[in-house]
Amino acid sequence: MIKRIALAAIAAAACIMPVAAEVQPGTASLIETIDENGILVTINHEECATGTYTGQYRWLGFQREMRLCPGATVDANDHNTVRHEVIHAIQHCVNVARGTSTDTPVMNDVDELMYWAREHLTMREIEWIQRSYDRSQWLTEIEAFAGARAYTSSELEELFLTA
């Protein structure tokens, strides 16, 4: 029941937020698709109260979980967080299929990834990612942050189903 209320809040925010805020009307559908395809979606898990993250993609064996921490209100950052975490879910699916490490981005060529990332992120944002994350996570995080900007929720829903 709580999940349905949160999905309704996200959908409602998509209707009232200005376009420039990057709220995506397809976010609720994206969350439903993720949930229906084996990824447990948890909204405002008790660990969200620590304030250390706004979203998280996790897996233990076969159990995959996407934790979203919108708090009492849903804003453009929450929509962006959903897109970011879905990129991690796609990375996970692709890496399992390829038999590669989960710390591997979907884009195999690092130069190509960085060129693409610079189209969507500033150097300041890339440097922040490098300061904020362990070196082993830089490429997957850069890909996820850039992907959250590059793709709409509807496009990510298609990419996730393909992966």
Side-chain angles (χ1 to χ4, degrees):
M1 179 67 171
I2 291 174
K3 190 183 300 183
R4 291 203 186 278
I5 292 169
L7 289 173
I10 290 169
C15 296
I16 60 174
M17 295 291 287
V19 175
E22 296 193 36
V23 170
Q24 301 271 325
T27 301
S29 177
L30 177 58
I31 292 170
E32 287 176 10
T33 297
I34 293 295
D35 190 51
E36 291 168 357
N37 283 278
I39 299 176
L40 173 66
V41 178
T42 306
I43 299 173
N44 289 328
H45 185 277
E46 63 188 29
E47 288 183 17
C48 291
T50 65
T52 56
Y53 59 86
T54 57
Q56 187 180 61
Y57 175 75
R58 314 161 23 108
W59 68 94
L60 288 168
F62 291 106
Q63 179 57 57
R64 299 183 301 159
E65 179 184 16
M66 184 177 301
R67 290 186 179 171
L68 303 172
C69 306
T73 60
V74 175
D75 61 20
N77 184 55
D78 298 314
H79 283 250
N80 188 66
T81 297
V82 171
R83 293 189 303 274
H84 176 99
E85 298 308 331
V86 168
I87 297 286
H88 287 315
I90 292 168
Q91 290 167 336
H92 186 211
C93 292
V94 168
N95 283 311
V96 167
R98 290 194 298 212
T100 51
S101 165
T102 56
D103 285 333
T104 304
V106 173
M107 291 185 178
N108 285 322
D109 185 299
V110 174
D111 293 331
E112 180 184 338
L113 169 61
M114 293 308 295
Y115 179 81
W116 176 77
R118 284 190 291 271
E119 291 178 350
H120 303 286
L121 301 172
T122 65
M123 278 309 297
R124 186 178 212 163
E125 290 168 320
I126 291 171
E127 290 166 359
W128 175 85
I129 293 166
Q130 292 172 329
R131 284 191 312 274
S132 301
Y133 291 90
D134 184 79
R135 179 182 283 275
S136 67
Q137 297 175 324
W138 285 0
L139 295 177
T140 55
E141 289 299 333
I142 288 169
E143 186 175 61
F145 277 100
R149 289 236 182 103
Y151 300 111
T152 66
S153 294
S154 299
E155 289 169 332
L156 284 174
E157 188 171 3
E158 289 180 34
L159 288 171
F160 173 77
L161 290 171
T162 300

